[in-house]
Amino acid sequence: MNTNDFEILLDSILTENNLQNRLQKDSLSKFALFYQKLIEVNAHTNLTAITEPDEVALKHFADCVTLAGIIPQNVTLIDVGCGGGFPSIPLAIVRPDLQIAALDSTAKKISFVKSVAELIGLYNVDAVCARAEDYVQTKRESYDVCVSRAVARLNILAELCLPFVKKNGMFYAMKSISAAEELEESESSIVKLGGAYKDSVDFELKYLDERVHRTVLAFEKQSKTPSQYPRKFSQIKKNPL
């Protein structure tokens, strides 16, 4: 699919889901270039299993754009486990006021994110190759907002994410149908890490016969995370808080 056709498709999907007001002047053209680069690189580097134009537009791009209406204005943000740039690249496209650190431990994925940011002129994205539990040692409580999408269950994810967040900042976990279950099993760990559950935002994305259900879980950082967290990832995974 050429860039013009993808722009038309994405515009249609965003409009159908009442997300067109999130677009900047050149957002559609940037998303189209992002899509082309994603498909090109995904042919030899595993970035996503979703490659059909309508599915990328709905399940990746529109999905990430929904988060843009939740995040406060003019904040610093870290995307933990950004993978192929989700949600960091879509957020950078539609929210130029954000200063975003896209963090992932896989060098090929970070190389891709850097190449996309350069290709489409995103000057508000810094792509960082590091493990979260290592990078936080120099960036503890440095960000207003932390986001993460499809990385791990919440009881593991919270220990990796909340230490990055400043007091009174926010952590947003993008989840699907398991959101309520994960929230229940993570209540005590969130508190141990200095966080507090604030809200859940449920939404449904649609295109033709496709329906995608998502939940964004929002947590406020109410106190400093104890210095012993995060632990090494092997410990976090073996024995979640």
Side-chain angles (χ1 to χ4, degrees):
M1 177 176 282
N2 63 41
T3 55
N4 186 61
D5 288 342
F6 187 82
E7 287 182 37
I8 294 170
L9 171 66
L10 180 59
D11 188 39
S12 173
I13 289 174
L14 293 175
T15 299
E16 184 172 354
N17 290 282
N18 298 312
L19 294 169
Q20 72 278 12
N21 62 329
R22 300 293 174 202
L23 296 174
Q24 303 292 311
K25 183 179 179 180
D26 55 356
S27 293
L28 289 174
S29 62
K30 288 183 175 181
F31 274 117
L33 289 172
F34 181 17
Y35 171 71
Q36 281 199 330
K37 189 71 173 178
L38 180 70
I39 298 306
E40 174 192 327
V41 175
N42 199 63
H44 54 77
T45 300
N46 183 25
L47 299 171
T48 178
I50 298 171
T51 56
E52 290 301 315
D54 57 338
E55 292 198 332
V56 171
L58 182 71
K59 297 178 181 179
H60 279 329
F61 294 171
D63 184 28
C64 293
V65 170
T66 59
L67 190 59
I70 301 173
I71 296 171
Q73 294 288 316
N74 301 306
V75 296
T76 57
L77 179 152
I78 185 166
D79 175 8
V80 172
C82 68
F86 304 110
S88 47
I89 294 294
L91 284 177
I93 291 173
V94 301
R95 289 287 306 273
D97 60 294
L98 301 176
Q99 292 299 316
I100 299 171
L103 178 69
D104 201 278
S105 61
T106 303
K108 288 183 178 180
K109 292 179 179 178
I110 287 301
S111 177
F112 171 73
V113 172
K114 286 181 178 178
S115 70
V116 170
E118 291 171 2
L119 174 68
I120 62 182
L122 297 176
Y123 303 107
N124 57 337
V125 176
D126 179 25
V128 181
C129 184
R131 298 189 66 87
E133 63 272 28
D134 295 330
Y135 192 59
V136 77
Q137 301 308 317
T138 57
K139 295 293 183 178
R140 177 176 288 271
E141 288 160 348
S142 295
Y143 296 93
D144 300 307
V145 171
C146 178
V147 300
S148 194
R149 175 180 184 261
V151 171
R153 287 187 73 84
L154 185 61
N155 60 351
I156 292 173
L157 191 62
E159 188 171 347
L160 297 173
C161 291
L162 276 167
F164 282 108
V165 183
K166 297 176 182 178
K167 186 178 178 181
N168 301 319
M170 296 297 296
F171 163 43
Y172 299 102
M174 301 181 73
K175 294 293 180 180
S176 55
I177 58 174
S178 64
E181 177 187 325
E182 291 188 41
L183 178 61
E184 184 177 355
E185 75 179 7
S186 304
E187 285 180 334
S188 62
S189 62
I190 295 292
V191 173
K192 284 181 183 178
L193 296 163
Y197 169 69
K198 298 300 289 185
D199 196 12
S200 296
V201 181
D202 298 306
F203 57 91
E204 179 185 76
L205 296 171
K206 57 185 178 180
Y207 177 66
L208 300 178
D209 295 330
E210 188 84 37
R211 296 292 183 273
V212 178
H213 300 275
R214 294 284 189 262
T215 298
V216 177
L217 299 174
F219 304 90
E220 183 180 21
K221 186 71 171 289
Q222 295 191 333
S223 60
K224 286 188 174 183
T225 301
S227 59
Q228 66 264 36
Y229 304 119
R231 298 164 294 165
K232 292 181 179 180
F233 186 70
S234 59
Q235 294 176 293
I236 297 172
K237 190 174 180 180
K238 184 178 180 180
N239 185 28
L241 292 177

